[in-house]
């Protein structure tokens, strides 16, 4: 398993372990994620030039052989293979100030060991050039893919991406 795969797996395992101890309002590591009123980071502003998280998080899922698989709706399938913009919060997959492979989430991280929502609330991003890590919202543009059976359990990926200013 690669370093990013181990880190991502660790994030999901840590979230599952916390879910057994804590009492979050929804199953931990599932759903669209919730931006709490006490968050030190402001919610994402509404923008017409990015794919709304409401479209991405509207995906249905099913469990098959102990795996959660997406059941994409026409609105998500229409994005597959097209150039799209995604706005969200960076979740680095490797150490360092600059990132080429990271997740963008609909809500900010509040704990380095917890995932803020389910697979429907994250997009894996691979950029052409390194991007400086920030806790502020970012907008990235690239080739969008819907992932029907990703080994890491992700539903969406953006490749050949670049930061949009």
């Amino acid at each position: 398993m690669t370093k990013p795969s181990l880190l991502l797996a660790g994030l999901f395992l840590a979230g599952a372990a916390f879910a057994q101890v804590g009492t979050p309002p929804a199953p931990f590591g599932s759903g669209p994620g919730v931006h709490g009123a006490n968050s030190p980071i402001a919610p994402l502003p509404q923008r017409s030039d990015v794919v709304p998280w409401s479209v991405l998080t509207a995906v249905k899922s099913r469990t098959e052989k102990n795996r959660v698989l997406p059941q994409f709706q026409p609105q998500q399938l229409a994005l597959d293979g097209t150039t799209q913009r995604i706005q969200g919060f960076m979740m680095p997959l490797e150490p360092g100030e600059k990132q080429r492979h990271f997740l963008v989430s609909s809500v900010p991280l509040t704990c380095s060991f917890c995932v803020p929502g389910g697979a429907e609330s994250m997009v894996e991003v691979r950029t052409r050039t390194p991007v400086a890590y920030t806790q502020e919202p970012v907008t990235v543009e690239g080739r969008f893919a819907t992932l029907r059976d990703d080994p890491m359990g992700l539903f969406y990926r953006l490749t050949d991406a670049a930061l949009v200013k």
Side-chain angles (χ1 to χ4, degrees), residues 25 30 33 43 45 85 95 98-99 102 107 119 122 126 141 144 154 161:
S30 65
R85 286 185 176 179
K98 298 218 174 206
Q99 303 288 312
F102 54 93
V107 295
M122 294 178 255
R126 292 196 177 264
E141 180 179 84
F144 191 88
L154 296 168

Side-chain angles (χ1 to χ4, degrees), residues 13-155:
L13 289 174
F18 180 82
Q20 293 174 2
V21 176
T23 55
F28 199 80
S30 65
V34 177
H35 190 94
N38 295 328
S39 175
I41 300 173
L44 293 170
Q46 297 292 326
R47 291 178 52 169
S48 61
D49 65 332
V50 299
V51 176
W53 282 103
S54 59
V55 169
L56 300 179
T57 59
V59 66
K60 306 293 182 201
S61 61
R62 70 181 193 288
T63 304
E64 183 179 299
K65 297 181 182 177
N66 296 325
R67 293 182 61 138
V68 177
L69 299 174
Q71 291 184 296
F72 295 113
Q73 308 301 308
Q75 59 188 358
Q76 291 103 20
L77 291 173
L79 301 171
D80 192 48
T82 64
T83 299
Q84 296 295 331
R85 286 185 176 179
I86 303 293
Q87 177 190 28
F89 299 92
M90 287 180 78
M91 294 174 54
L93 294 174
E94 296 179 351
E97 292 181 26
K98 298 218 174 206
Q99 303 288 312
R100 291 188 72 164
H101 184 210
F102 54 93
L103 299 177
V104 170
S105 175
S106 61
V107 295
L109 280 174
T110 56
C111 165
S112 59
F113 300 104
C114 308
V115 290
E120 64 273 29
S121 69
M122 294 178 255
V123 175
E124 178 185 20
V125 178
R126 292 196 177 264
T127 62
R128 287 182 237 142
T129 58
V131 174
Y133 172 72
T134 179
Q135 291 183 343
E136 298 299 318
V138 296
T139 302
V140 288
E141 180 179 84
R143 188 157 188 83
F144 191 88
T146 53
L147 310 173
R148 290 168 179 33
D149 190 9
D150 184 67
M152 290 309 302
L154 296 168
F155 292 178

